[in-house]
C-alpha cells in the first residue's frame, strides 16, 4: 500500500485544507468575514450581473442544492441581492450591491496575499507549472465531480 503522501487525492485534500486556512486567516486579518466560496460567488455575480443561482453554481463548480445557503449569507451581509427575473417571473436574478462592490475592492489585497502564501516554497516558474498542472487535471476530471464547472449561458 502506498503512503498517503504518494496519493494525489490525499495531497489535493491537504492543499485544500491549507488553501482554506490561509484564505480565512488573510481575509480575517483584513477585517472581513467571507469564506472562499462566498468570495467566488460574489466575484462571479459581479462579473455576470443578473445570473441565476443554478448558473452561478455551475460557474463556481458548487453543488446546486447548497448554493442557496451561500447566496442567503451574501444577501444577509448586504453584499448581493435577489431580484425578480426580467425573463422569467418564477426565477430570481442575482445582483451585487454597492456594499458588495466595495467589499470586493477592499478584500482583493488580502485574497491576492493568500494566493501568494499558498504557493510559498515554490519558485515563480514552479508556481506557474503547478497551476498549469492543476488546470489540466481538473479539466480532465471535471465531469467526474458531483459539481462540475460549467460555462455561463446567461
Amino acid at each position: 500500500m502506498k503512503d498517503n503522501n504518494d496519493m494525489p487525492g490525499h495531497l489535493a485534500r491537504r492543499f485544500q485544507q491549507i488553501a482554506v486556512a490561509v484564505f480565512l486567516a488573510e481575509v480575517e486579518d483584513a477585517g472581513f468575514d467571507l469564506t472562499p466560496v462566498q468570495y467566488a460567488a460574489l466575484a462571479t455575480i459581479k462579473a455576470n450581473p443578473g445570473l441565476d443561482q443554478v448558473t452561478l453554481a455551475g460557474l463556481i463548480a458548487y453543488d446546486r442544492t447548497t448554493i442557496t445557503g451561500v447566496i442567503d449569507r451574501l444577501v444577509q451581509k448586504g453584499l448581493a441581492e435577489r431580484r425578480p427575473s426580467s425573463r422569467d417571473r418564477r426565477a430570481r436574478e442575482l445582483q451585487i450591491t454597492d456594499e458588495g462592490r466595495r467589499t470586493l475592492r477592499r478584500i482583493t489585497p488580502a485574497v491576492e496575499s493568500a494566493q501568494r502564501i499558498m504557493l510559498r516554497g515554490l519558485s515563480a516558474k514552479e508556481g506557474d507549472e503547478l497551476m498549469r498542472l492543476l488546470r489540466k487535471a481538473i479539466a480532465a476530471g471535471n465531469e467526474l465531480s458531483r459539481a462540475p464547472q460549467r460555462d455561463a449561458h446567461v
Side-chain angles (χ1 to χ4, degrees), residues 54-74:
V54 171
T55 302
L56 172 63
L59 289 172
I60 66 171
Y62 202 72
D63 185 71
R64 291 170 58 168
T65 59
T66 54
I67 193 70
T68 302
V70 174
I71 297 165
D72 287 347
R73 285 183 283 290
L74 292 174

Side-chain angles (χ1 to χ4, degrees), residues 68-95:
T68 302
V70 174
I71 297 165
D72 287 347
R73 285 183 283 290
L74 292 174
V75 169
Q76 289 166 358
K77 293 176 181 186
L79 304 177
E81 59 187 12
R82 292 179 176 101
R83 294 182 183 165
S85 171
S86 57
R87 297 177 297 262
D88 180 353
R89 287 188 331 207
R90 299 164 297 165
R92 308 291 257 165
E93 295 178 348
L94 301 172
Q95 299 287 340

